[in-house]
């Protein structure tokens, strides 16, 4: 599994946070990972390799860290979006922003520009065309502040 494929799965799990209470997210994570392991082609049809245990561990750990920092990430994103309230941002866009913001601020293994590029690829795949420049602007602003 590539990092981009893992990030896609991380985004999908973080997206679920909009629909489930925080205490239910561990169960949601495990449910998604179980289904991904059983039928990876359903979730990531373009995936070239299978899902390995190390991939599941990476996804689980990253999701846990992102969810742990959600309030802090949201505060950073709101500031970077020039005080545009996050409750006005679509759930898909917000999940993408949270994943990328976490990578920019807390994940030293991923360069900020790579995090932004990957977020834009997710936005092109899952959002309408207007989301791409918005996500780009917010994340570039966040990167400049870092």
């Amino acid at each position: 599994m590539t990092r981009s494929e893992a990030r896609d799965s991380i985004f999908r799990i973080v997206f679920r946070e909009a629909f489930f209470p925080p205490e239910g997210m561990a169960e949601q994570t495990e449910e998604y990972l179980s289904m991904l392991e059983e039928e990876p082609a359903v979730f990531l049809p373009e995936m070239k390799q299978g899902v390995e245990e190390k991939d599941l561990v990476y996804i689980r750990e990253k999701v846990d860290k992102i969810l742990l920092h959600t309030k802090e990430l949201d505060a950073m994103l709101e500031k970077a979006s020039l005080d545009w309230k996050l409750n006005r941002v679509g759930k898909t866009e917000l999940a993408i922003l949270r994943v990328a913001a976490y990578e920019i601020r807390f994940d030293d293994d991923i360069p900020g520009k790579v995090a932004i590029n990957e977020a834009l690829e997710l936005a092109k795949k899952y959002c309408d065309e207007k989301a791409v420049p918005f996500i780009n602007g917010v994340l570039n602003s966040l990167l400049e502040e870092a």
Side-chain angles (χ1 to χ4, degrees):
M1 174 177 259
T2 66
R3 283 281 172 107
S4 293
E5 293 164 346
R7 187 176 287 102
D8 192 303
S9 289
I10 292 163
F11 151 73
R12 289 173 182 229
I13 297 168
V14 171
F15 175 75
R16 290 179 174 208
E17 188 271 339
F19 304 98
F20 294 94
E23 58 274 6
M25 284 307 297
E27 181 181 336
Q28 289 300 311
T29 300
E30 293 309 315
E31 180 182 314
Y32 178 89
L33 293 176
S34 174
M35 292 186 302
L36 177 65
E37 191 173 27
E38 290 173 19
E39 298 186 64
V42 171
F43 292 93
L44 299 167
E46 66 278 357
M47 186 163 43
K48 308 238 184 309
Q49 304 170 6
V51 179
E52 298 179 18
E53 182 61 30
K54 67 180 175 76
D55 301 322
L56 300 174
V57 169
Y58 176 80
I59 292 168
R60 185 180 296 111
E61 288 176 355
K62 194 137 178 192
V63 166
D64 288 347
K65 290 175 183 176
I66 292 168
L67 296 177
L68 180 67
H69 291 282
T70 298
K71 288 184 182 179
E72 187 177 354
L73 293 169
D74 286 357
M76 289 186 289
L77 289 167
E78 211 160 280
K79 183 178 177 193
S81 65
L82 303 175
D83 295 323
W84 211 57
K85 300 295 179 202
L86 292 184
N87 63 358
R88 294 182 56 210
V89 176
K91 291 173 179 36
T92 307
E93 292 84 352
L94 183 56
I96 292 169
L97 285 167
R98 284 175 175 164
V99 172
Y102 175 82
E103 291 178 342
I104 290 169
R105 287 295 173 93
F106 297 106
D107 194 334
D108 295 332
D109 293 338
I110 299 173
K113 292 288 185 187
V114 171
I116 293 171
N117 185 55
E118 292 289 332
L120 297 177
E121 291 304 314
L122 286 171
K124 290 174 189 173
K125 184 174 179 179
Y126 294 109
C127 304
D128 73 29
E129 63 210 30
K130 294 177 185 175
V132 175
F134 172 74
I135 289 171
N136 189 39
V138 171
L139 293 177
N140 274 303
S141 178
L142 184 65
L143 184 61
E144 288 172 11
E145 293 174 13

